[in-house]
Amino acid sequence: MMASSTPTLYTPSNKQECQAAVRKLSRETVISLDAEGVQLGKDGPLTLLQIGTLDGTVYLFDVMINEKKQDKKFFTETGLNAILTSTKIIKVIQSCSGDSAALYHQFGIRLENVFDTQVAHLVIQEHEGRKLPAREKLADICKMYSENAEVYEGKEDVKLEWSKLAGNFWAKRPMTKEMLDYASADVTALIPEVYETQNRYIRENGIFDLFEERVQEEIELEIDPNAKERRKERTAHIRM
């Protein structure tokens, strides 16, 4: 199944519209997820949450604006927290540690049922004999695991503008068309093809348990103080 090349874009602007979007998302079994922010991480504010569906629909939740309106209750009052913590909905994410850290430390949300495409790539590469494979950009992941998936063609131009604003790019409001296109493409690129190709390889080669273990490590990297140490010890052992 292929998503439309031009996504249907929804940008709910108030609590009621967000709740209606969440009701639709709650019926999905697989979604793609990404977040943007100001030096996004444990302390870097999460300002935008993007969710894509298999039919090519993209929901952009303006966390920065809605949090101001709802006094830190945006995720709970809209039901988005239930989507993010659901064990029934698979969340396909590229390199989830930063998003995970921001959601956990800023909103008390621990991601569940994540399919991390970066982790999948690393596990696949290891299975094919590469001891310490390199992490790859989203654009390169798309090329490796899909014939059709691609990121926003102006991504590098957006990143340049981002750097000029000293990291505050994703706090700009109103968002420009370039920002909307960039944010949308980062989730439409992941499903269905990249996810389906990686998932099929992992399951057919019997490495799903290892994959799940590594994804959990990625989720906890900026949450559990021991997670980084465990990764450091594992990679050091491989180098020996």
Side-chain angles (χ1 to χ4, degrees), residues 26-184:
S26 67
R27 297 192 287 268
E28 301 289 332
T29 56
V30 177
I31 61 174
S32 51
L33 179 72
D34 191 24
E36 308 295 348
V38 181
Q39 298 178 349
L40 183 66
K42 177 180 177 181
D43 300 309
L46 189 159
T47 61
L48 181 71
L49 187 77
Q50 308 105 273
I51 296 179
T53 62
L54 289 170
D55 67 0
T57 303
V58 175
Y59 298 84
L60 299 183
F61 296 93
D62 193 334
V63 178
M64 186 177 80
I65 297 299
N66 281 288
E67 273 293 318
K68 290 179 180 178
K69 294 178 182 177
Q70 297 180 48
D71 191 26
K72 295 294 180 181
K73 297 178 181 178
F74 173 64
F75 282 93
T76 54
E77 291 196 352
T78 59
L80 268 171
N81 62 324
I83 297 290
L84 299 174
T85 59
S86 171
T87 58
K88 296 180 180 179
I89 303 173
I90 297 170
K91 274 73 70 175
V92 183
I93 311 176
Q94 165 80 358
S95 299
C96 72
S97 60
D99 300 348
S100 174
L103 288 165
Y104 180 80
H105 291 288
Q106 296 173 37
F107 306 105
I109 296 171
R110 184 185 286 268
L111 284 171
E112 296 284 352
N113 204 8
V114 169
F115 187 101
D116 191 308
T117 52
Q118 181 73 261
V119 174
H121 167 69
L122 296 175
V123 169
I124 289 169
Q125 291 290 294
E126 288 174 18
H127 185 262
E128 293 185 346
R130 296 169 181 83
K131 289 186 176 181
L132 285 171
R135 289 177 170 252
E136 301 287 351
K137 293 180 180 179
L138 174 59
D140 294 323
I141 294 286
C142 289
K143 291 176 183 177
M144 292 176 189
Y145 298 100
S146 170
E147 295 181 357
N148 300 285
E150 55 186 23
V151 297
Y152 173 52
E153 63 181 1
K155 191 178 180 82
E156 294 307 315
D157 293 333
V158 174
K159 282 187 173 181
L160 179 60
E161 185 174 353
W162 183 351
S163 65
K164 288 178 180 178
L165 291 172
N168 294 327
F169 182 78
W170 290 105
K172 286 178 58 177
R173 294 297 183 275
M175 289 186 285
T176 64
K177 182 180 185 302
E178 288 74 18
M179 293 171 75
L180 297 175
D181 289 345
Y182 178 115
S184 300

Side-chain angles (χ1 to χ4, degrees), residues 199-217:
N199 187 42
R200 182 167 54 251
Y201 182 102
I202 287 169
R203 291 184 181 276
E204 287 178 353
N205 287 277
I207 54 175
F208 192 78
D209 288 347
L210 172 62
F211 168 67
E212 282 195 314
E213 180 183 313
R214 294 285 183 82
V215 170
Q216 196 59 37
E217 177 184 85

